Amino acid sequence: GAGRCRASTAVAAAGGTLDDLAARVDNSLLRELRPERDPPPTPTTQSRAVRTGHFVRVVPEALPDPGFVAASPSMCKELGLDPSEAETERFVAAFSGAAKEESGVDFDAWAMGYAVSVQGHNSTNSPFGPFGYGDGRAMSIAEVVHEGQRWELQLKGAGRTPFSRQFDGRAVLRSSVRELLASEAMHALGVPTSRALCLVASDTERISRAWYPPPEAERKSQRRRPHPPSMLVEERTAMLCRCAPSFLRVGHVELHALRGEREELERLIKHAVRREYPHLLEDGKAFPELLVDFFREFVRRQAELVSGWLRVGYVQGNMNSDNCLLGGRTLDYGPFGFMEAYHPLYQPFTSDAMGGYAFARQPGAAKKNCMSLADSLLEALPQGERAEVSTALQRALDEDFPEHFNKVHGEGCRRKLGLLAWDQDARELWSDLLKAMQASEADFTVLFRLLAMSAEEPVGPTLDDLSRAFGNPEALDAEASAAWIAWLDRYSARVAADGRAPEERAAEMKAASPKFIPRNWMLFEAYDAAERGDYSVVKGMLEALARPYDEQPELEDAYFRAAPPWAQEVGGLSFMADLRKPRELAAAAPAGRRDLPRSRAASLRERPSGADATHEA
């Protein structure tokens, strides 16, 4: 029944238990920010406009018959937990939203409203205008402090909140497995990200989601044409616990600027600085100066973040401001993708029809989120104090962002090529390499790793050394082959002129170019098995992706390769939409949670402007 909890009866080692975790809870947000004033006497599961306060108190809707799927040993360690504790009955109960009577711990859940900007333009496409957006299926349950580091714990798929609009508040196992594996892989790749602690799934509850047919059932006529999901699929529900020093977003600041609440906005900003940039508070700056320093730090972190994405071939998919953390970390792994065949405008998210958030355009999109934040920060000041601060914010946007991005991105490119310096010749080599990769549809990750592996050899790389990167032989025609041979000659000459020791170059190149990434077809294998109750693939992949730069030869044939034919140009793998239950498909929905309202499509609210790429990635 709904009250029963299935889990291992294992007992965790002393010192790393759920009770130890609960004893270290310190909810600074609830203490420093303000709740909604005079909330109506309606259930917290009822959608409505929220016009006051920073947060609303909510109650999770527990998963029925929850079972343990997987936990991140690395994240358990960050929280001082013994990994075996995650498999205990009480832990599974606590992290599937069960009440204190079942879990033995009393977490105090909250959800926050935010605004949404698409390509820098504010959206009001919700039933309640700008006051209906927020945590619609995510609830923060605690801030835990361990060894001086604060971690906010948030349950995704925890049920309905006032911000759920017409959605059901649930997450499915498929998307939860994707986020678990991708966020932990991103951490191992060295790119700032939210983390994942654990994943539980219901044995009995299923809900309908718009998605794509299995790869083998996708009609050939539909391939090579990105399209929204074409059918409803009944899937198991799940709940993911994700972690970050904070989940404060650009959209949170935007909301209070839109409301015109200067005092509440200042309180939120100071809280965000305490959580994410505490060093800025050490010398007691005046508030206008604090705003400028905070923004400059934020701009630098955004530049560093997108540089990291470009280094590992990642596309966020949806870069709206509500997916942009003030701490500069990757968040909300929805319609994302790690690029396989290189293309500068790769974008797996079908709702981004103009490609505004495509691979090479991500720096420009990040800059627009910086602009949205700058506009909102000014609203925290009286009119008379804005002019000087506005000038400083504009300077940070125009000068600090491109300067820091070009520095960090250029260093990443230099390391991937193993060159001594990032000079004009290096830039031309990089640019011509990307052109050759695009023309031959070379796999981004495999190609750069093969270059790194070839650095250990006494002679420069040959085209044969790179053959594993070419998944489509037809693309490597005579013209493309000639271009590659010419480039390899230039590259070898530059390497010889640099005169670096081969072992030194190879080590640096391998540390910049991973061997294993969470490719969408790999994730399919994991969540497809999990849907059938086999979690071994999830656990094995979690372990393998924790060491993305290691050789792991036993995995080479399976995962160090271009996309297999069955996964190429298939909905849900090479492209996807961020939909839950579109109205046009709702009538065909099979039986599911009949007590919950049917959902509409959740896509970009405004069509992106399609701005040109401002940086060659």
Side-chain angles (χ1 to χ4, degrees):
R4 187 169 57 82
C5 178
R6 181 187 61 76
S8 165
T9 55
V11 177
T17 67
L18 178 62
D19 290 331
D20 294 322
L21 183 80
R24 289 183 275 109
V25 169
D26 175 49
N27 295 331
S28 68
L29 186 145
L30 300 185
R31 185 171 62 248
E32 297 177 7
L33 299 186
R34 291 175 173 165
E36 180 186 22
R37 293 192 301 273
D38 303 320
T42 54
T44 60
T45 55
Q46 182 173 318
S47 297
R48 58 183 175 83
V50 178
R51 299 178 182 276
T52 63
H54 298 103
F55 65 89
V56 295
R57 296 185 183 275
V58 290
V59 179
E61 295 183 281
L63 279 183
D65 303 307
F68 174 76
V69 176
S72 164
S74 170
M75 193 61 226
C76 285
K77 184 178 179 181
E78 293 280 1
L79 292 170
L81 280 168
D82 188 291
S84 64
E85 176 76 351
E87 300 186 48
T88 63
E89 187 171 338
R90 286 182 58 215
F91 193 95
V92 171
F95 287 89
S96 61
K100 180 182 180 181
E101 291 73 28
E102 233 181 302
S103 67
V105 292
D106 190 16
F107 289 132
D108 198 355
W110 69 92
M112 298 181 71
Y114 49 67
V116 176
S117 284
V118 183
Q119 289 281 336
H121 301 287
N122 187 257
S123 173
T124 57
N125 187 26
S126 91
F128 310 107
F131 307 114
Y133 295 123
D135 296 321
R137 58 174 173 170
M139 302 179 188
S140 293
I141 57 170
E143 294 173 37
V144 175
V145 181
H146 179 60
E147 296 182 346
Q149 175 63 59
R150 181 179 298 273
W151 290 96
E152 185 172 330
L153 275 55
Q154 191 173 82
L155 297 181
K156 187 173 181 179
R160 295 164 292 178
T161 76
F163 306 108
S164 294
R165 292 175 284 159
Q166 55 275 69
F167 300 115
D168 56 26
R170 285 298 193 215
V172 294
L173 184 55
R174 164 181 48 82
S175 62
S176 302
V177 165
R178 279 170 51 81
E179 180 160 355
L180 167 74
L181 294 175
S183 58
E184 287 305 282
M186 191 71 92
H187 170 70
L189 288 166
V191 179
T193 181
S194 59
R195 302 289 304 279
L197 172 62
C198 62
L199 175 61
V200 296
S202 173
D203 286 345
T204 56
E205 184 180 65
R206 294 178 176 272
I207 54 176
S208 296
R209 288 290 186 262
W211 198 238
Y212 300 87
E216 66 274 10
E218 184 84 306
R219 293 198 310 274
K220 288 184 178 180
S221 62
Q222 289 183 312
R223 299 191 180 189
R224 298 196 175 275
R225 289 189 297 110
H227 55 276
S230 55
M231 64 182 292
L232 281 173
V233 180
E234 195 175 64
E235 303 183 67
R236 293 172 62 191
T237 56
M239 205 174 290
L240 177 75
C241 179
R242 59 187 184 185
C243 313
S246 87
F247 285 99
L248 298 169
R249 317 176 187 207
V250 170
H252 290 135
V253 180
E254 288 181 292
L255 175 64
H256 293 280
L258 282 170
R259 287 182 183 172
E261 300 171 331
R262 209 165 72 212
E263 182 184 345
E264 303 285 49
L265 182 54
E266 179 176 345
R267 183 180 290 265
L268 174 65
I269 292 166
K270 288 180 176 177
H271 176 74
V273 172
R274 272 191 289 274
R275 296 278 293 276
E276 297 288 359
Y277 307 91
H279 60 283
L280 296 180
L281 299 171
E282 292 171 1
D283 54 3
K285 298 179 178 70
F287 185 60
E289 186 182 355
L290 180 66
L291 280 186
V292 174
D293 288 352
F294 163 47
F295 184 69
R296 292 191 67 183
E297 292 264 5
F298 171 79
V299 161
R300 288 173 64 87
R301 287 199 193 178
Q302 285 299 304
E304 182 178 336
L305 178 63
V306 292
S307 298
W309 290 352
L310 299 185
R311 178 177 63 82
V312 299
Y314 174 79
V315 177
Q316 170 76 352
N318 183 342
M319 288 183 68
N320 295 350
S321 64
D322 57 312
N323 288 333
C324 185
L325 286 178
L326 293 176
R329 299 175 191 88
T330 315
L331 174 72
D332 207 47
Y333 292 82
F336 73 87
F338 280 82
M339 181 166 55
E340 300 200 66
Y342 174 76
H343 195 292
L345 298 184
Y346 168 66
Q347 163 60 302
F349 188 24
T350 61
S351 296
D352 183 15
M354 303 300 291
Y357 296 150
F359 179 70
R361 291 176 177 167
Q362 291 180 121
K367 192 174 178 182
K368 288 185 178 180
N369 282 334
C370 292
M371 193 185 318
S372 296
L373 178 62
D375 289 342
S376 299
L377 293 178
L378 289 174
E379 296 297 320
L381 297 172
Q383 283 287 349
E385 297 179 17
R386 293 183 185 180
E388 185 176 348
V389 171
S390 177
T391 300
L393 299 184
Q394 190 68 52
R395 186 182 304 116
L397 196 62
D398 294 341
E399 299 175 9
D400 292 11
F401 184 92
E403 179 182 340
H404 195 61
F405 171 78
N406 289 332
K407 177 183 176 182
V408 178
H409 178 53
E411 175 63 9
C413 298
R414 184 199 67 76
R415 291 169 58 215
K416 289 179 84 72
L417 293 179
L419 301 180
L420 200 57
W422 185 243
D423 50 27
Q424 185 57 36
D425 177 62
R427 291 185 181 89
E428 291 174 3
L429 273 172
W430 179 263
S431 177
D432 291 344
L433 170 61
L434 296 186
K435 291 173 185 174
M437 289 172 64
Q438 181 178 349
S440 58
E441 299 180 15
D443 184 282
F444 183 87
T445 299
V446 175
L447 188 287
F448 279 109
R449 185 68 178 200
L450 290 174
L451 275 181
M453 293 164 70
S454 71
E456 299 170 329
E457 303 301 323
V459 294
T462 66
L463 191 54
D464 284 344
D465 293 331
L466 307 180
S467 60
R468 193 185 190 98
F470 304 112
N472 180 9
E474 294 180 5
L476 193 63
D477 56 19
E479 183 179 354
S481 296
W484 270 109
I485 292 169
W487 185 87
L488 288 167
D489 286 345
R490 288 169 55 203
Y491 178 59
S492 297
R494 170 60 189 258
V495 169
D498 280 354
R500 299 180 71 190
E503 321 81 61
E504 175 190 303
R505 285 189 66 242
E508 181 178 63
M509 293 171 74
K510 287 182 178 181
S513 297
K515 188 173 184 180
F516 300 102
I517 54 169
R519 300 169 183 269
N520 275 327
W521 53 269
M522 292 168 56
L523 299 179
F524 168 79
E525 293 180 358
Y527 64 71
D528 187 55
E531 190 71 25
R532 300 191 304 270
D534 176 5
Y535 306 139
S536 63
V537 183
V538 174
K539 293 172 183 175
M541 215 167 275
L542 191 62
E543 182 179 351
L545 291 170
R547 299 187 291 131
Y549 297 100
D550 291 358
E551 292 301 335
Q552 303 192 72
E554 70 281 5
L555 300 177
E556 196 166 280
D557 288 342
Y559 299 134
F560 182 55
R561 55 166 299 174
W566 63 264
Q568 293 176 14
E569 307 300 338
V570 174
L573 301 185
S574 54
F575 57 86
M576 67 199 73
D578 189 18
L579 305 182
R580 301 185 196 174
K581 194 187 295 181
R583 283 180 295 178
E584 62 269 22
L585 293 177
R593 283 167 57 98
R594 294 196 177 276
D595 58 315
L596 299 182
R598 297 184 183 275
S599 307
R600 294 183 194 168
S603 59
L604 289 173
R605 285 88 178 176
E606 297 178 13
R607 179 164 292 188
S609 60
D612 292 334
T614 55
H615 299 277
E616 187 168 44

